[in-house]
Structures are given as C-alpha cells and as structure tokens.
Amino acid sequence: MAARARLPLLFPKTLPPLQRQRPAHTEAAAAAAAAKEPAYPPVVPSLTAKSKAARQRQADERVQRIRESPVEEKISLFTRIQRKKFVVYPQTFARNADKWYQHFTKTAYIPGLPERFGPGRRTTTPVAGEESSPAGGAPAPAPAVDGAAFADIRSLKRKAFLYREQEQNVGPFVRNMVAGLTHSVGRFNPLLRLSSLDIAPRVNFYWRRGQRIIPKGHRRGRLEPTRFQIDDEPQCQIRITQQLQQFAPLEASYAADVPEVSFAPDLMPLFRRQYDNHIFTGAKLPDPACYGHTQFHLVPDRYHRDRMARRQQSDQVEVFLRANGLASLFAWTGAQAMYQGFWPHEDVRRPFVSQAVITDGQFFSFFCYQLNTVALSVETDASNPRKNLLWGTESLRLYESVQDGEVVGLDDGVVKLLVQFLMNQP
Amino acid sequence: MSLCCRNFASSARSSAGRHERADRTTSTGSTALYPLYQLGNPQLRIFRPNWFLTLVRPGKEQPPDTVQFRIPMEMTKYDVKNYLEKIYDVPVGAIRTRIQFGSNKKRNHLHQKVKQPDYKVAYVQLAQGQTFTFPDIFPEKELKHEEGSMEEMQEKFMEDEKQRQRLDPRRGGVTEWFGL
C-alpha cells in the first residue's frame, strides 16, 4: 500500500511543542537530575570475582575501613595479618648498614646538626645566662659527670663477665646522668617537668616499602610488598606531652637525596621472620606523653670501637652509629605518628621530630630526626616527593681519661650540646 | 680383598697416635698431618696451603663490594680471610659461607643415582670501599673473514642477493602491490 497509509488518519490539532522543549544540558536540568534518587545502584566491580578489578576493590574497601575507624582500631587493622617480614636491628654488624637503612626508611642524611644547635647558639629562655654555669662544671652536671664517683663505682664491682662491660659499668652511669641532667634542666625547661623518663623501654614499628615478585611457591609470579619490623630497646628515653618544633620545613626535604639500593634486602644480610606486628612508642595509646623528646642508646661491647679497631674495621664505627640513630629514631617517630592516626594512606600533616644520643661512655654522638612522611608503601610512595631527614654528628669525646678519681680533659662543648638537647622545647 | 685392605689401612692410621690429626678432612691447610692443638701451643702457621679458591660469577646479582668464591669444604671463614689477606693482599671486611648441596636426583642409564659433588661458597665483602665486578670473559666477537677467502665471497654474494630482494628505501616500507 502507499506509504501515506502509515500516517495517522487524524492529525493532532496541536503538534508537540518541539521548539519550546527545554534542552537537556542546562545546569538546572543537571541539578534536577542529581536531586532525584538514582534509579539503579552505582556500577562498581565485583567484590568476590577472580579478577584484578575485584582485588583492587577489596584493597580499596580495606583502606576505606581503616580510614573510618578510630586510632586503636586503625593500628590493629594495619598490623592484623602476620606474614614473613625483614627484622631490622638498629645495632647491626652488617657493613655499610646506613646506606641500606636510608633506602628502607627513605631518609636523607645531613652531616652536622640543625642551626638550632649551632656553635655559640644560646637558647631563648630568659635564664640563658645560667645555661653557661651548668656547662662550666657547676652543680648541675658535675654530679652526673663526676669522675670520682664514676671511678669508685667501677673499682668496687668485680670485672664484668664476657661482653658485659658496657652493660655493667656504663649503663648505670648513663641512666644516672640522664636522670640528674633532666632534673636540673627541668628548672629551665617546663616541658621536662611533665615528661616521662623510661628506663629500657621497648620501641617497635612495622612498615611496608617496595615490592618483589615471589620467585617460588604457590604464589609464584605475584607481587608481594616487602615488610619490615624494628624492635628496639634504648637505654632510656624522655617522652613529652607536646610536640617539638620542626627543624626544617616540609618542602625543604623535597630536594634531599636518598641513596637507592636496587638489591634485595637479603644481601645486606637481613633475615625474615614471622611474628606479631608491633607498633609501640614506649607507652600505650592513652598515655598523655605521646610525643618523643630524646632517646639515649648504649654501644654494646660487641661494637665497641676498641674491638672494631682490633679487627681493622674502624671505618665501620661511624657507620654503625649512624645506622643505630637512623633506625631507632625512625621507629620512634613512626610509632608516634601512628599513635596520632597517621598511616601510609593518610600521610602526616606536620613533621614529627625526635632526638637521640648514642654513647659508649667516652664518645657521644648526637642525632636529630624529622619524620616528614610515613607513606612508604608502593601505592602511596609513587608520587610522594617528601623525604625524612636525619642530622647527625661524628662521635665527640667527652673526656680524655679518668685518673685517680679525677676527670682529665672534660670537653665542655659536649656537655653544652647535651644540655641544649634537653633544653629543646616547642 | 680390596675391602679388607682398606679397613686395615684406616685402622692403622687411627692408631698411629692419639695426638696426631688422623682425620684428613679437618682444616689444617693441607692434607698433611699436624699435631693436635693444645692450650699453650704456638700458633699454627701454614706456609704452603694446599687449598685453591675459585672466583665465580654470582648467579644472583650481588652488591658491588661482594665477591663470590667456591672454596674447599675444609676451609673456614677465618681461613679464607687469612688466605686472601696474606697471599693476595686483598682487604677483607666480612665473610659469609654456605654449603651447596649437589643434587642426587639424576639417574644414569643403569638407573643408578648420580651424585653431583657438594661445594662450599664464600661471599666476601671487601673493606676500604673497594668494589669488584666479575669481568665478561666471553665477549661477543664480530666474525670477520679474511680478505679473498671463500667465506668472504659467499658472504658478499648473500648480501647482494638480499639487497636485490629489498624494496626501494625511498618508499618507506610501502609495498609494491599497487602503483605504477
């Protein structure tokens, strides 16, 4: 039949208002569409399928769940699953350990201390004039660095058993000195009056950095993140209620260079174990003194410079001290950041700062650490320009020797640095 | 017959003296017999050790300061350190050793298990910031035939044939199926 037959017999009197129809792409139309309830649920990948998108969605859900939970739950969800991890010892026999540890923790090393502790610098407290008297050997540190007491105690005790010299002789000296100094400097630094001095505390930190392809096993060929754990036990540490001032702005760390090591950590040598993943600053979460001030470490007999000299490894003494300062301070500041709710997917908003003093009784090394980023895992580190910073000195001699109960050649500069470290306040 | 001779020899060796090293496989630097060490004895010094180290290319890539050796089973870490320092003047930082088990899985045409020998591997970390990379002992060589030889003429002939087959480079890879 003719095509005309397809047209309706009766034309409508009024044609549909084609010209007057509203175009679909105005803002008002969009707002109206948004205000309307979506008719269908959002199109997301499946949660249980055997596909990469499903795995990605599972990971995203986990991250979302951790983001929304309170701090204790965040830590427990982050450290829930046990897997094989590298156990990083701050005091290690490995050669060139500081380069490896810098790579694991994304830390740049800056020789020397920040300007705050520069030579001839006085703290801004009104009693700055009295600061020179403690350094000059007046009452405050004199009992602490009292050579007579030191020598007497040593002669009273019998010779220490195998490799326990430091633990028996120098350990108590360091503890007494720290306690005495903290008490005397507490007069000038009100923060120390509310601080907590821990003796032999535990400091633990767990983090992930880098990934590898599993070479063998039923998970062969898949990517696995490398996990690390530090379990440290400093000689003593001071925890405070307020956070210390940052040493350098965050942006200053973008230009710092961190040594890259392309080899697996096994070659360091570093060994893996599987046990509970701990994150601990030295006190539990509800403790008000949750920020760190200063840690004091003892050099054990095994790494004493005399023993290293006998084995012709004197160049490794400084390396050991740097590695010790780096690992201990990274673990402490990282744990402090986790206690405040920052974790790899929620990076720190302000830098966390701590200090450390490592000593073997005669030589003192001072370290300052600024944690700018805790986002070290593969996904979060891809576009992260921030780096952590470590300032450190070479080992400085406190005294030449102790003869007949008298300290010979006491270096005031070292005592002054010690006092400056303790006087550091926000 | 040979079996009982062997037993006789070993028993004779062990009864030679209680203070002599009857076991030949201990670390004495050679396969000679030395008196057993007792407290107060002078330091044992070996002047011509019978041991030989083999420098090998590492299977897995090692850091630049690490050198890999295959050493005799009887050597210890201290032996390797003294060997390298005294004989070759190489400053040694740290040494780690392990024993590689040689497989006993393969079987020969008589279905007997064939053991591949075990060997000891030493990873030596050099001191004083020294580094070492294993050299390339089989470099790729350009095979050039001498002038006027048969092979060279054949090479040239093959080259010419291939050149004739190739299209005009000005066409930029376009085929000649179409066109004028």
Side-chain angles (χ1 to χ4, degrees):
Chain A
M1 302 290 284
R4 268 187 68 238
R6 298 221 183 103
L7 277 173
L9 284 168
L10 290 163
F11 251 106
K13 286 270 161 51
T14 52
L15 287 166
L18 292 159
Q19 288 88 16
R20 285 209 296 272
Q21 218 175 45
R22 271 190 302 174
H25 300 293
T26 50
E27 285 158 30
K36 231 173 33 170
E37 270 284 317
Y40 301 99
V43 179
V44 285
S46 153
L47 205 53
T48 50
K50 195 179 166 190
S51 66
K52 288 194 190 124
R55 280 297 251 175
Q56 187 58 39
R57 193 174 155 218
Q58 285 167 15
D60 292 337
E61 299 258 303
R62 246 177 269 140
V63 167
Q64 198 53 37
R65 197 169 144 213
I66 299 181
R67 259 187 229 262
E68 285 156 5
S69 29
V71 183
E72 310 85 31
E73 237 191 272
K74 259 190 202 173
I75 295 181
S76 74
L77 283 173
F78 185 66
T79 55
R80 192 174 71 91
I81 299 179
Q82 279 188 23
R83 289 268 184 267
K84 282 245 174 187
K85 57 193 174 180
F86 286 106
V87 182
V88 172
Y89 290 95
Q91 298 182 326
T92 175
F93 56 85
R95 295 184 68 85
N96 304 327
D98 59 342
K99 291 270 168 341
W100 289 89
Y101 285 6
Q102 279 184 291
H103 171 64
F104 298 152
T105 59
K106 203 177 177 189
T107 311
Y109 174 69
I110 304 168
L113 289 175
E115 308 84 39
R116 209 179 297 179
F117 303 112
R121 188 66 178 252
R122 302 228 160 235
T123 52
T124 53
T125 56
V127 288
E130 285 184 282
E131 194 214 343
S132 56
S133 63
V145 194
D146 192 355
F150 187 30
D152 280 346
I153 288 172
R154 264 201 178 166
S155 59
L156 284 174
K157 293 185 187 172
R158 55 178 120 163
K159 186 177 170 304
F161 188 58
L162 212 58
Y163 278 36
R164 286 195 181 231
E165 286 272 349
Q166 297 285 98
E167 187 194 317
Q168 185 181 298
N169 300 325
V170 184
F173 163 62
V174 169
R175 281 199 292 269
N176 293 339
M177 180 185 75
V178 170
L181 267 177
T182 316
H183 182 73
S184 8
V185 175
R187 262 188 295 146
F188 308 108
N189 188 353
L191 206 62
L192 288 182
R193 275 175 247 151
L194 298 167
S195 66
S196 162
L197 175 67
D198 307 328
I199 308 288
R202 291 286 166 91
V203 173
N204 307 325
F205 190 55
Y206 168 80
W207 80 102
R208 288 185 208 124
R209 174 136 167 94
Q211 60 187 1
R212 66 159 191 160
I213 297 178
I214 302 176
K216 228 163 146 52
H218 65 282
R219 296 184 63 212
R220 185 193 149 114
R222 295 182 178 89
L223 286 167
E224 187 200 34
T226 17
R227 291 165 277 263
F228 297 92
Q229 168 85 39
I230 292 183
D231 297 317
D232 187 23
E233 202 175 327
Q235 184 72 11
C236 45
Q237 73 182 18
I238 301 171
R239 272 178 301 113
I240 50 178
T241 45
Q242 293 170 48
Q243 201 174 0
L244 286 174
Q245 200 77 52
Q246 65 184 25
F247 290 122
L250 264 178
E251 292 73 31
S253 71
Y254 292 8
D257 58 295
V258 174
E260 276 288 321
V261 178
S262 54
F263 303 100
D266 297 270
L267 298 176
M268 198 191 128
L270 208 57
F271 301 99
R272 317 166 82 135
R273 260 192 297 151
Q274 179 175 322
Y275 55 100
D276 270 325
N277 306 321
H278 295 299
I279 294 182
F280 194 61
T281 55
K284 290 193 178 170
L285 206 66
D287 195 300
C290 49
Y291 297 104
H293 190 268
T294 321
Q295 265 185 347
F296 290 84
H297 291 266
L298 200 62
V299 170
D301 288 274
R302 191 177 169 191
Y303 304 107
H304 195 75
R305 51 186 61 227
D306 297 335
R307 184 170 181 266
M308 302 285 251
R310 263 181 277 143
R311 298 168 146 259
Q312 279 96 42
Q313 286 180 8
S314 300
D315 54 326
Q316 293 292 313
V317 171
E318 294 298 325
V319 168
F320 163 83
L321 294 168
R322 272 201 297 271
N324 190 0
L326 206 157
S328 300
L329 283 172
F330 173 74
W332 204 23
T333 46
Q336 290 167 41
M338 295 286 266
Y339 271 29
Q340 300 305 310
F342 299 111
W343 64 294
H345 286 259
E346 278 176 295
D347 212 353
V348 296
R349 281 192 288 270
R350 57 195 191 273
F352 281 76
V353 154
S354 286
Q355 303 162 145
V357 178
I358 306 184
T359 170
D360 66 353
Q362 196 180 15
F363 288 87
F364 282 69
S365 317
F366 299 87
F367 294 94
C368 302
Y369 195 89
Q370 179 166 321
L371 185 85
N372 293 323
T373 173
V374 87
L376 299 173
S377 58
V378 182
E379 320 83 57
T380 50
D381 194 35
S383 55
N384 186 12
R386 300 189 199 175
K387 294 164 180 108
N388 302 321
L389 298 169
L390 172 75
W391 287 265
T393 61
E394 303 275 308
S395 34
L396 308 161
R397 198 190 276 267
L398 177 65
Y399 60 88
E400 295 287 328
S401 58
V402 175
Q403 283 161 10
D404 306 324
E406 280 299 314
V407 177
V408 172
L410 184 70
D411 186 1
D412 284 337
V414 178
V415 183
K416 207 156 144 206
L417 254 182
L418 260 174
V419 175
Q420 271 182 322
F421 256 49
L422 287 174
M423 286 287 292
N424 194 5
Q425 53 189 309
Chain B
M1 203 46 73
S2 58
L3 196 66
C4 46
C5 287
R6 218 182 305 140
N7 284 344
F8 182 72
S10 67
S11 65
R13 217 185 303 141
S14 58
S15 63
R18 255 172 299 134
H19 299 293
E20 299 240 329
R21 281 225 151 130
D23 183 9
R24 278 168 169 255
T25 59
T26 47
S27 56
T28 51
S30 68
T31 48
L33 292 179
Y34 288 92
L36 193 63
Y37 178 81
Q38 291 168 319
L39 185 65
N41 281 9
Q43 173 72 50
L44 177 67
R45 291 176 203 286
I46 300 157
F47 293 101
R48 298 205 326 253
N50 203 10
W51 288 324
F52 304 98
L53 306 191
T54 316
L55 221 194
V56 296
R57 176 191 287 282
K60 292 198 178 130
E61 211 188 318
Q62 296 285 334
D65 64 342
T66 306
V67 190
Q68 191 167 331
F69 290 95
R70 282 197 193 180
I71 61 179
M73 289 286 253
E74 299 84 24
M75 273 182 99
T76 60
K77 290 181 186 180
Y78 296 96
D79 290 326
V80 174
K81 192 171 155 83
N82 290 338
Y83 190 100
L84 289 172
E85 284 183 339
K86 303 270 160 57
I87 302 179
Y88 290 98
D89 263 332
V90 171
V92 167
I95 299 195
R96 296 183 290 277
T97 56
R98 67 177 178 94
I99 297 184
Q100 176 59 52
F101 172 74
S103 107
N104 198 13
K105 200 174 198 181
K106 286 201 171 143
R107 291 177 188 261
N108 59 9
H109 63 288
L110 298 171
H111 200 59
Q112 295 160 343
K113 280 197 179 174
V114 175
K115 165 84 181 162
Q116 259 134 40
D118 301 333
Y119 54 90
K120 202 181 242 191
V121 181
Y123 300 90
V124 176
Q125 275 186 309
L126 302 169
Q128 292 161 21
Q130 291 189 6
T131 56
F132 177 80
T133 40
F134 197 85
D136 189 12
I137 38 187
F138 303 113
E140 288 292 324
K141 238 182 0 186
E142 274 294 323
L143 196 61
K144 267 202 94 64
H145 303 289
E146 68 234 23
E147 298 287 315
S149 69
M150 215 30 221
E151 288 88 5
E152 223 226 303
M153 287 190 341
Q154 277 174 344
E155 241 352 282
K156 263 186 94 162
F157 179 70
M158 293 305 294
E159 255 315 303
D160 285 334
E161 282 297 317
K162 280 195 198 135
Q163 184 57 45
R164 217 174 289 164
Q165 293 293 325
R166 277 191 217 117
L167 302 169
D168 190 356
R170 291 171 294 181
R171 288 181 69 84
V174 178
T175 53
E176 284 186 349
W177 303 335
F178 46 86
L180 301 166

